[in-house]
PDB file of all heavy atoms in Angstrom:
ATOM      1  N   LYS C 422     -21.905  -8.473 -12.432  1.00 40.00           N
ATOM      2  CA  LYS C 422     -22.698  -9.350 -13.295  1.00 40.00           C
ATOM      3  C   LYS C 422     -21.875 -10.548 -13.782  1.00 40.00           C
ATOM      4  O   LYS C 422     -22.293 -11.682 -13.721  1.00 40.00           O
ATOM      5  CB  LYS C 422     -23.224  -8.566 -14.501  1.00 40.00           C
ATOM      6  CG  LYS C 422     -24.259  -7.503 -14.126  1.00 40.00           C
ATOM      7  CD  LYS C 422     -24.691  -6.731 -15.359  1.00 40.00           C
ATOM      8  CE  LYS C 422     -25.683  -5.637 -14.988  1.00 40.00           C
ATOM      9  NZ  LYS C 422     -26.060  -4.802 -16.141  1.00 40.00           N
ATOM     10  N   GLU C 423     -20.647 -10.286 -14.300  1.00 36.00           N
ATOM     11  CA  GLU C 423     -19.850 -11.355 -14.852  1.00 36.00           C
ATOM     12  C   GLU C 423     -18.361 -11.037 -14.669  1.00 36.00           C
ATOM     13  O   GLU C 423     -17.979  -9.905 -14.447  1.00 36.00           O
ATOM     14  CB  GLU C 423     -20.167 -11.551 -16.343  1.00 36.00           C
ATOM     15  CG  GLU C 423     -20.110 -10.268 -17.140  1.00 36.00           C
ATOM     16  CD  GLU C 423     -20.627 -10.470 -18.540  1.00 36.00           C
ATOM     17  OE1 GLU C 423     -21.832 -10.312 -18.753  1.00 36.00           O
ATOM     18  OE2 GLU C 423     -19.817 -10.755 -19.410  1.00 36.00           O
ATOM     19  N   PRO C 424     -17.462 -12.070 -14.722  1.00 32.00           N
ATOM     20  CA  PRO C 424     -16.050 -11.896 -14.427  1.00 32.00           C
ATOM     21  C   PRO C 424     -15.349 -10.954 -15.396  1.00 32.00           C
ATOM     22  O   PRO C 424     -15.803 -10.716 -16.501  1.00 32.00           O
ATOM     23  CB  PRO C 424     -15.476 -13.306 -14.504  1.00 32.00           C
ATOM     24  CG  PRO C 424     -16.668 -14.208 -14.349  1.00 32.00           C
ATOM     25  CD  PRO C 424     -17.823 -13.468 -14.938  1.00 32.00           C
ATOM     26  N   SER C 425     -14.113 -10.518 -14.977  1.00 33.00           N
ATOM     27  CA  SER C 425     -13.345  -9.582 -15.794  1.00 33.00           C
ATOM     28  C   SER C 425     -11.857  -9.654 -15.460  1.00 33.00           C
ATOM     29  O   SER C 425     -11.471 -10.000 -14.362  1.00 33.00           O
ATOM     30  CB  SER C 425     -13.842  -8.170 -15.555  1.00 33.00           C
ATOM     31  OG  SER C 425     -13.019  -7.241 -16.148  1.00 33.00           O
ATOM     32  N   HIS C 426     -11.004  -9.319 -16.446  1.00 33.00           N
ATOM     33  CA  HIS C 426      -9.573  -9.263 -16.251  1.00 33.00           C
ATOM     34  C   HIS C 426      -9.064  -7.938 -16.799  1.00 33.00           C
ATOM     35  O   HIS C 426      -9.506  -7.479 -17.822  1.00 33.00           O
ATOM     36  CB  HIS C 426      -8.879 -10.413 -16.990  1.00 33.00           C
ATOM     37  CG  HIS C 426      -9.382 -11.761 -16.554  1.00 33.00           C
ATOM     38  ND1 HIS C 426      -8.666 -12.581 -15.716  1.00 33.00           N
ATOM     39  CD2 HIS C 426     -10.548 -12.406 -16.800  1.00 33.00           C
ATOM     40  CE1 HIS C 426      -9.345 -13.682 -15.494  1.00 33.00           C
ATOM     41  NE2 HIS C 426     -10.492 -13.594 -16.152  1.00 33.00           N
ATOM     42  N   ARG C 427      -8.045  -7.326 -16.096  1.00 35.00           N
ATOM     43  CA  ARG C 427      -7.643  -5.965 -16.496  1.00 35.00           C
ATOM     44  C   ARG C 427      -6.287  -5.629 -15.952  1.00 35.00           C
ATOM     45  O   ARG C 427      -5.754  -6.334 -15.105  1.00 35.00           O
ATOM     46  CB  ARG C 427      -8.716  -4.966 -15.954  1.00 35.00           C
ATOM     47  CG  ARG C 427      -8.465  -3.506 -16.289  1.00 35.00           C
ATOM     48  CD  ARG C 427      -8.546  -3.205 -17.759  1.00 35.00           C
ATOM     49  NE  ARG C 427      -8.682  -1.806 -17.999  1.00 35.00           N
ATOM     50  CZ  ARG C 427      -7.729  -1.069 -18.574  1.00 35.00           C
ATOM     51  NH1 ARG C 427      -6.603  -1.584 -18.924  1.00 35.00           N
ATOM     52  NH2 ARG C 427      -7.948   0.228 -18.776  1.00 35.00           N
ATOM     53  N   THR C 428      -5.679  -4.580 -16.390  1.00 51.00           N
ATOM     54  CA  THR C 428      -4.369  -4.175 -15.885  1.00 51.00           C
ATOM     55  C   THR C 428      -4.518  -3.386 -14.584  1.00 51.00           C
ATOM     56  O   THR C 428      -5.591  -2.907 -14.240  1.00 51.00           O
ATOM     57  CB  THR C 428      -3.631  -3.333 -16.922  1.00 51.00           C
ATOM     58  OG1 THR C 428      -4.453  -2.275 -17.302  1.00 51.00           O
ATOM     59  CG2 THR C 428      -3.243  -4.169 -18.114  1.00 51.00           C
ATOM     60  N   THR C 429      -3.348  -3.166 -13.899  1.00 61.00           N
ATOM     61  CA  THR C 429      -3.362  -2.777 -12.492  1.00 61.00           C
ATOM     62  C   THR C 429      -4.072  -1.447 -12.208  1.00 61.00           C
ATOM     63  O   THR C 429      -4.923  -1.379 -11.329  1.00 61.00           O
ATOM     64  CB  THR C 429      -1.902  -2.684 -11.992  1.00 61.00           C
ATOM     65  OG1 THR C 429      -1.297  -3.964 -12.173  1.00 61.00           O
ATOM     66  CG2 THR C 429      -1.857  -2.290 -10.537  1.00 61.00           C
ATOM     67  N   THR C 430      -3.735  -0.381 -12.908  1.00 62.00           N
ATOM     68  CA  THR C 430      -4.273   0.941 -12.558  1.00 62.00           C
ATOM     69  C   THR C 430      -5.773   0.963 -12.629  1.00 62.00           C
ATOM     70  O   THR C 430      -6.469   1.394 -11.691  1.00 62.00           O
ATOM     71  CB  THR C 430      -3.694   2.016 -13.515  1.00 62.00           C
ATOM     72  OG1 THR C 430      -2.264   1.966 -13.430  1.00 62.00           O
ATOM     73  CG2 THR C 430      -4.187   3.384 -13.114  1.00 62.00           C
ATOM     74  N   LEU C 431      -6.319   0.516 -13.747  1.00 67.00           N
ATOM     75  CA  LEU C 431      -7.767   0.493 -13.901  1.00 67.00           C
ATOM     76  C   LEU C 431      -8.398  -0.488 -12.928  1.00 67.00           C
ATOM     77  O   LEU C 431      -9.427  -0.190 -12.317  1.00 67.00           O
ATOM     78  CB  LEU C 431      -8.120   0.118 -15.350  1.00 67.00           C
ATOM     79  CG  LEU C 431      -9.616   0.006 -15.684  1.00 67.00           C
ATOM     80  CD1 LEU C 431     -10.340   1.311 -15.335  1.00 67.00           C
ATOM     81  CD2 LEU C 431      -9.805  -0.338 -17.140  1.00 67.00           C
ATOM     82  N   ALA C 432      -7.775  -1.652 -12.762  1.00 70.00           N
ATOM     83  CA  ALA C 432      -8.328  -2.659 -11.848  1.00 70.00           C
ATOM     84  C   ALA C 432      -8.434  -2.130 -10.432  1.00 70.00           C
ATOM     85  O   ALA C 432      -9.424  -2.370  -9.736  1.00 70.00           O
ATOM     86  CB  ALA C 432      -7.458  -3.922 -11.879  1.00 70.00           C
ATOM     87  N   LYS C 433      -7.418  -1.383  -9.973  1.00 69.00           N
ATOM     88  CA  LYS C 433      -7.444  -0.850  -8.608  1.00 69.00           C
ATOM     89  C   LYS C 433      -8.538   0.174  -8.444  1.00 69.00           C
ATOM     90  O   LYS C 433      -9.213   0.237  -7.395  1.00 69.00           O
ATOM     91  CB  LYS C 433      -6.087  -0.207  -8.248  1.00 69.00           C
ATOM     92  CG  LYS C 433      -5.888   0.042  -6.769  1.00 69.00           C
ATOM     93  CD  LYS C 433      -5.829  -1.245  -5.988  1.00 69.00           C
ATOM     94  CE  LYS C 433      -5.366  -1.056  -4.551  1.00 69.00           C
ATOM     95  NZ  LYS C 433      -6.299  -0.360  -3.695  1.00 69.00           N
ATOM     96  N   LYS C 434      -8.750   1.027  -9.451  1.00 70.00           N
ATOM     97  CA  LYS C 434      -9.834   1.997  -9.372  1.00 70.00           C
ATOM     98  C   LYS C 434     -11.190   1.311  -9.303  1.00 70.00           C
ATOM     99  O   LYS C 434     -12.099   1.744  -8.594  1.00 70.00           O
ATOM    100  CB  LYS C 434      -9.770   2.953 -10.570  1.00 70.00           C
ATOM    101  CG  LYS C 434      -8.713   4.044 -10.446  1.00 70.00           C
ATOM    102  CD  LYS C 434      -9.074   4.987  -9.300  1.00 70.00           C
ATOM    103  CE  LYS C 434      -8.024   6.077  -9.106  1.00 70.00           C
ATOM    104  NZ  LYS C 434      -8.326   6.922  -7.936  1.00 70.00           N
ATOM    105  N   VAL C 435     -11.340   0.228 -10.056  1.00 75.00           N
ATOM    106  CA  VAL C 435     -12.593  -0.527 -10.019  1.00 75.00           C
ATOM    107  C   VAL C 435     -12.751  -1.199  -8.670  1.00 75.00           C
ATOM    108  O   VAL C 435     -13.817  -1.139  -8.029  1.00 75.00           O
ATOM    109  CB  VAL C 435     -12.609  -1.574 -11.157  1.00 75.00           C
ATOM    110  CG1 VAL C 435     -13.811  -2.490 -11.026  1.00 75.00           C
ATOM    111  CG2 VAL C 435     -12.623  -0.887 -12.528  1.00 75.00           C
ATOM    112  N   TYR C 436     -11.681  -1.822  -8.188  1.00 73.00           N
ATOM    113  CA  TYR C 436     -11.711  -2.562  -6.927  1.00 73.00           C
ATOM    114  C   TYR C 436     -12.080  -1.637  -5.756  1.00 73.00           C
ATOM    115  O   TYR C 436     -12.801  -2.020  -4.837  1.00 73.00           O
ATOM    116  CB  TYR C 436     -10.348  -3.190  -6.699  1.00 73.00           C
ATOM    117  CG  TYR C 436     -10.146  -3.905  -5.388  1.00 73.00           C
ATOM    118  CD1 TYR C 436     -10.604  -5.202  -5.195  1.00 73.00           C
ATOM    119  CD2 TYR C 436      -9.459  -3.297  -4.337  1.00 73.00           C
ATOM    120  CE1 TYR C 436     -10.402  -5.864  -4.004  1.00 73.00           C
ATOM    121  CE2 TYR C 436      -9.246  -3.966  -3.145  1.00 73.00           C
ATOM    122  CZ  TYR C 436      -9.731  -5.237  -2.978  1.00 73.00           C
ATOM    123  OH  TYR C 436      -9.513  -5.900  -1.794  1.00 73.00           O
ATOM    124  N   ASP C 437     -11.552  -0.394  -5.764  1.00 73.00           N
ATOM    125  CA  ASP C 437     -11.773   0.554  -4.664  1.00 73.00           C
ATOM    126  C   ASP C 437     -13.077   1.318  -4.791  1.00 73.00           C
ATOM    127  O   ASP C 437     -13.431   2.063  -3.885  1.00 73.00           O
ATOM    128  CB  ASP C 437     -10.627   1.546  -4.581  1.00 73.00           C
ATOM    129  CG  ASP C 437      -9.348   0.905  -4.048  1.00 73.00           C
ATOM    130  OD1 ASP C 437      -9.450  -0.113  -3.352  1.00 73.00           O
ATOM    131  OD2 ASP C 437      -8.259   1.432  -4.351  1.00 73.00           O
ATOM    132  N   HIS C 438     -13.784   1.141  -5.905  1.00 75.00           N
ATOM    133  CA  HIS C 438     -15.017   1.928  -6.113  1.00 75.00           C
ATOM    134  C   HIS C 438     -16.080   1.564  -5.091  1.00 75.00           C
ATOM    135  O   HIS C 438     -16.229   0.388  -4.714  1.00 75.00           O
ATOM    136  CB  HIS C 438     -15.535   1.705  -7.536  1.00 75.00           C
ATOM    137  CG  HIS C 438     -16.492   2.746  -7.993  1.00 75.00           C
ATOM    138  ND1 HIS C 438     -17.832   2.720  -7.701  1.00 75.00           N
ATOM    139  CD2 HIS C 438     -16.288   3.889  -8.721  1.00 75.00           C
ATOM    140  CE1 HIS C 438     -18.425   3.765  -8.233  1.00 75.00           C
ATOM    141  NE2 HIS C 438     -17.522   4.495  -8.873  1.00 75.00           N
ATOM    142  N   GLN C 439     -16.809   2.553  -4.637  1.00 74.00           N
ATOM    143  CA  GLN C 439     -17.832   2.333  -3.604  1.00 74.00           C
ATOM    144  C   GLN C 439     -18.866   1.264  -4.017  1.00 74.00           C
ATOM    145  O   GLN C 439     -19.293   0.454  -3.201  1.00 74.00           O
ATOM    146  CB  GLN C 439     -18.525   3.632  -3.266  1.00 74.00           C
ATOM    147  CG  GLN C 439     -17.615   4.692  -2.662  1.00 74.00           C
ATOM    148  CD  GLN C 439     -18.303   6.036  -2.537  1.00 74.00           C
ATOM    149  OE1 GLN C 439     -19.532   6.108  -2.649  1.00 74.00           O
ATOM    150  NE2 GLN C 439     -17.547   7.087  -2.324  1.00 74.00           N
ATOM    151  N   THR C 440     -19.226   1.308  -5.279  1.00 75.00           N
ATOM    152  CA  THR C 440     -20.227   0.365  -5.754  1.00 75.00           C
ATOM    153  C   THR C 440     -19.748  -1.071  -5.596  1.00 75.00           C
ATOM    154  O   THR C 440     -20.475  -1.960  -5.153  1.00 75.00           O
ATOM    155  CB  THR C 440     -20.569   0.644  -7.228  1.00 75.00           C
ATOM    156  OG1 THR C 440     -21.012   1.993  -7.356  1.00 75.00           O
ATOM    157  CG2 THR C 440     -21.656  -0.300  -7.726  1.00 75.00           C
ATOM    158  N   VAL C 441     -18.495  -1.288  -5.957  1.00 75.00           N
ATOM    159  CA  VAL C 441     -17.917  -2.636  -5.851  1.00 75.00           C
ATOM    160  C   VAL C 441     -17.739  -3.013  -4.384  1.00 75.00           C
ATOM    161  O   VAL C 441     -18.073  -4.121  -3.968  1.00 75.00           O
ATOM    162  CB  VAL C 441     -16.583  -2.699  -6.609  1.00 75.00           C
ATOM    163  CG1 VAL C 441     -15.870  -4.031  -6.356  1.00 75.00           C
ATOM    164  CG2 VAL C 441     -16.799  -2.485  -8.084  1.00 75.00           C
ATOM    165  N   ARG C 442     -17.202  -2.116  -3.583  1.00 76.00           N
ATOM    166  CA  ARG C 442     -16.970  -2.397  -2.170  1.00 76.00           C
ATOM    167  C   ARG C 442     -18.253  -2.789  -1.440  1.00 76.00           C
ATOM    168  O   ARG C 442     -18.263  -3.684  -0.604  1.00 76.00           O
ATOM    169  CB  ARG C 442     -16.363  -1.157  -1.487  1.00 76.00           C
ATOM    170  CG  ARG C 442     -14.885  -0.955  -1.788  1.00 76.00           C
ATOM    171  CD  ARG C 442     -14.052  -1.963  -1.023  1.00 76.00           C
ATOM    172  NE  ARG C 442     -12.635  -1.756  -1.214  1.00 76.00           N
ATOM    173  CZ  ARG C 442     -11.696  -2.370  -0.507  1.00 76.00           C
ATOM    174  NH1 ARG C 442     -12.050  -3.237   0.404  1.00 76.00           N
ATOM    175  NH2 ARG C 442     -10.438  -2.157  -0.743  1.00 76.00           N
TER     176      ARG C 442
END
Side-chain angles (χ1 to χ4, degrees):
K422 293 177 182 177
E423 51 188 88
S425 170
H426 302 256
R427 180 65 164 113
T428 54
T429 302
T430 303
L431 178 56
K433 195 66 169 69
K434 281 295 178 183
V435 172
Y436 176 81
D437 288 336
H438 198 276
Q439 296 172 15
T440 303
V441 173
R442 284 285 184 170

